[in-house]
Amino acid sequence: MTMYQNLAERRAKFVTVFCDASHCPNTLATGWAVWMKLGSPPETKRLSGALPGVKDSQNAEIIALEEALAHLETRLDLKDQIVVIESDCLGAIDAIRDRALRLTALGAKYVKLKWVKGHQGVKCARSAVNTWCDSEAKRNMRALRDAIIKRSGECQSEYAPKETA
């Protein structure tokens, strides 16, 4: 067995997940994005979407992580996999910790939750992935925010700009 075959086999045992969200406090629009890499040969999955009515940015980040967990729980064989879930929001990581650790009941060998420093620009492959998640979440949030504003003509929260006389 060559060194490269051994490396490929080790990488095949990992499922790496990055999550990010973007939130507009004026319209309560949220966009989220998830990036996953798994298997051998490596396969990349990208998931994203938008939701209205999310109260704050931490809840938006929790939604992104929950979307990733739902995909892991229902669409992937986790047998003997090492799952690494990364987010730039410690509060959201803490909020989903118990659910994430239950992935071991679905066969995952180990689950690691990891905080990553967000909004750093592209410095390496890891920051490039985080930047993609950030950009995709913003794109989804902006599309929903614009639709909300167009439909209602006004913002939906106490943070909305007020007209002054």
Side-chain angles (χ1 to χ4, degrees):
M1 178 180 302
T2 71
M3 177 177 72
Y4 295 108
Q5 288 171 321
N6 188 21
L7 180 60
E9 286 178 14
R10 285 193 328 221
R11 286 184 176 162
K13 296 185 183 290
F14 280 84
V15 176
T16 303
V17 180
F18 284 81
C19 303
D20 205 358
S22 184
H23 180 261
C24 173
N26 294 334
T27 61
L28 305 182
T30 285
W32 58 270
V34 174
W35 180 98
M36 296 182 181
K37 190 167 197 171
L38 59 140
S40 180
E43 176 186 358
T44 300
K45 294 183 179 223
R46 292 177 178 92
L47 314 167
S48 66
L51 288 171
V54 178
K55 71 178 184 174
D56 58 34
S57 60
Q58 182 163 311
N59 280 296
E61 297 283 352
I62 292 168
I63 287 166
L65 287 161
E66 287 178 338
E67 291 290 342
L69 288 170
H71 190 81
L72 290 168
E73 292 164 347
T74 61
R75 295 195 177 100
L76 297 180
D77 179 8
L78 297 176
K79 184 171 176 18
D80 296 326
Q81 297 292 304
I82 297 168
V83 180
V84 180
I85 302 171
E86 304 188 32
S87 171
D88 61 5
C89 181
L90 280 172
I93 290 170
D94 288 341
I96 60 92
R97 182 175 306 282
D98 290 343
R99 180 178 175 187
L101 294 177
R102 285 194 297 269
L103 294 173
T104 57
L106 298 174
K109 187 177 194 176
Y110 182 75
V111 177
K112 179 175 181 154
L113 298 163
K114 187 174 178 181
W115 175 79
V116 294
K117 193 169 187 176
H119 311 286
Q120 295 300 302
V122 177
K123 296 178 181 176
C124 62
R126 173 166 272 130
S127 63
V129 169
N130 195 55
T131 297
W132 176 85
C133 287
D134 182 59
S135 297
E136 183 69 7
K138 282 181 184 171
R139 186 186 66 76
N140 286 318
M141 180 277 293
R142 287 175 179 147
L144 178 57
R145 177 193 65 197
D146 293 349
I148 289 169
I149 290 170
K150 185 176 182 179
R151 186 174 56 244
S152 69
E154 60 186 57
C155 296
Q156 300 178 356
S157 84
E158 67 194 71
Y159 303 108
K162 308 254 188 286
E163 285 189 313
T164 55

